[in-house]
Amino acid sequence: MESNGQSRAPGVRDVARVAGVSRQTVSRVMNEHPSIRDETRMRVLAAMEELRFRPNRAARMLTTARSMTIGVLASSASTLFGPASSIDAVEKAARDAGYFVTVAHVADTTAEEVDAALEHLAAQAVDGIVVVAPERPVVDALRSAAPGVPFVTLHGSQEPGEDGVVVDQFAGARLAVRHLLDLGHRRIAHLAGPAEWEEAAARQRGFTAELAVDGLEGIVTEPGDWTSASGARIGAALFDGSGGGGVTAVFSSNDQMALGLLHVLRESGRRVPEDVSVIGFDDIPEAAYFAPPLATVRQDFRELGRRCVARLLAEIAAAAAPPLAAPIAPTLVLRASTGAPR
């Protein structure tokens, strides 16, 4: 639009003119006032889209007492596939809801680091916080700090007392182990994840529980750190000399550690899946291109982010936590890395 030869962004007056309503009606739509009819709301939103109208953030804060900003408290683990995918999903869901996102990282899991991150978010007047910090000490420190705004944890296992939005890690592990059992495997090992991660603990519990259904006990390795290097190191120890104690299948707590395991099996002359079946967890983009392609358990991170933001916005609006939805069900992705034992 032009004014005295200068282009300017469209304003509320322009939206009102295109939608055929008053400026007050446009403001009520922007502030989600319940008195607006659906037909009117849709007409105003269509006009905003046509004009590429973007509400002024400062003005909205003055009229709604909200910054329209969600804070993300992320641990140093946020560079890993799961947390990074979760943050991306939260950012997209927040944008779709008209919110900005600001991220504060904690360098370690101490209470001091969590306090510093919360101060950073408080300085930006965030309306609520999403916690993408799967380590138990970070969540404990956050609860002790009492941030003063609603917060939702995105990771966890949804055990009694948990209040996060989660993928059902326990059920995902059981899917993986049941697949191996149905193939005929009876000596199965679990390449365990970090002990301080709730997801890793839930996957290990699922591994044990599903084997118990068939009256079996598995082998649980020492905890890895989610990296391929730790998977290779622990995998080498598992199969060194003894041949893994008759192990014919391994359920890895994540795909990256499974990659390290595939490497040491290949180096030792063992074939996958002819000698050892391997199944992972996460379905990272590269999993389909491992050698052989990795069977795994897929998590729906987009749905995880959507539910997390929806829950947080409901808490911000109502100042109370809505009932938790059921955990998101993971899915089993079958590829060439599993087969019947010889």
Side-chain angles (χ1 to χ4, degrees):
M1 306 184 71
E2 299 291 331
S3 176
N4 297 325
Q6 300 292 321
S7 64
R8 66 174 179 85
V12 171
R13 185 189 300 273
D14 302 305
V15 174
R17 175 178 53 78
V18 172
V21 298
S22 68
R23 283 179 295 170
Q24 290 82 2
T25 297
V26 174
S27 295
R28 290 191 183 100
V29 171
M30 290 168 53
N31 297 328
E32 301 178 359
H33 198 282
S35 67
I36 300 297
R37 294 182 300 172
D38 287 343
E39 179 185 353
T40 303
R41 179 179 289 104
M42 294 303 296
R43 198 161 71 245
V44 171
L45 292 176
M48 289 179 177
E49 184 67 22
E50 177 184 339
L51 295 172
R52 297 181 178 272
F53 170 78
R54 296 294 179 266
N56 181 279
R57 186 182 181 191
R60 288 198 69 175
M61 190 171 179
L62 288 173
T63 59
T64 66
R66 295 180 189 168
S67 66
M68 302 304 294
T69 302
I70 290 174
V72 173
L73 185 111
S75 73
S76 58
S78 61
T79 57
L80 297 173
F81 174 75
S85 299
S86 300
I87 292 173
D88 285 345
V90 167
E91 288 183 325
K92 183 182 186 307
R95 287 198 306 271
D96 289 346
Y99 276 74
F100 298 87
V101 173
T102 182
V103 182
H105 292 272
V106 294
D108 55 52
T109 58
T110 63
E112 291 76 14
E113 275 291 318
V114 173
D115 286 341
L118 289 176
E119 287 180 11
H120 175 78
L121 295 176
Q124 298 177 68
V126 298
D127 296 326
I129 297 172
V130 174
V131 184
V132 186
E135 304 95 328
R136 170 57 62 183
V138 176
V139 178
D140 290 343
L142 178 65
R143 290 196 173 107
S144 299
V149 294
F151 71 91
V152 173
T153 58
L154 185 143
H155 288 278
S157 59
Q158 210 167 42
E159 293 296 300
E162 289 284 339
D163 59 1
V165 178
V166 301
V167 172
D168 196 334
Q169 311 291 326
F170 182 80
R174 297 191 71 162
L175 282 175
V177 175
R178 176 48 53 188
H179 170 62
L180 296 174
L181 290 169
D182 288 346
L183 288 172
H185 294 279
R186 291 297 177 267
R187 189 68 169 155
I188 305 173
H190 175 48
L191 211 171
E196 68 273 17
W197 283 54
E198 284 297 315
E199 286 90 343
R203 293 170 196 176
Q204 183 173 324
R205 288 194 298 271
F207 168 80
T208 302
E210 194 62 28
L211 285 173
V213 171
D214 286 24
L216 300 172
E217 292 185 8
I219 297 171
V220 177
T221 70
E222 65 174 283
D225 62 5
W226 297 132
T227 66
S228 298
S230 71
R233 175 180 55 80
I234 297 168
L238 177 65
F239 287 96
D240 184 26
S242 65
V247 168
T248 62
V250 179
F251 164 50
S252 176
S253 197
N254 81 331
D255 293 344
Q256 290 288 358
M257 290 195 298
L259 175 59
L261 174 63
L262 289 174
H263 173 75
V264 299
L265 289 172
R266 184 171 58 251
E267 290 292 303
S268 69
R270 293 179 175 86
R271 298 169 301 166
V272 177
E274 291 84 356
D275 300 320
V276 181
S277 285
V278 179
I279 188 167
F281 205 109
D282 280 338
D283 193 26
I284 64 175
E286 299 82 5
Y289 302 97
F290 287 2
L294 183 68
T296 186
V297 177
R298 177 181 295 160
Q299 304 192 67
D300 188 343
F301 290 107
R302 178 172 294 185
E303 177 65 9
L304 188 65
R306 187 195 68 77
R307 288 195 193 183
C308 187
V309 169
R311 177 172 173 81
L312 182 62
L313 296 185
E315 291 192 30
I316 291 170
L324 274 175
I328 299 169
T331 56
L332 186 64
V333 180
L334 297 181
R335 298 191 181 105
S337 65
T338 62
R342 291 193 303 171

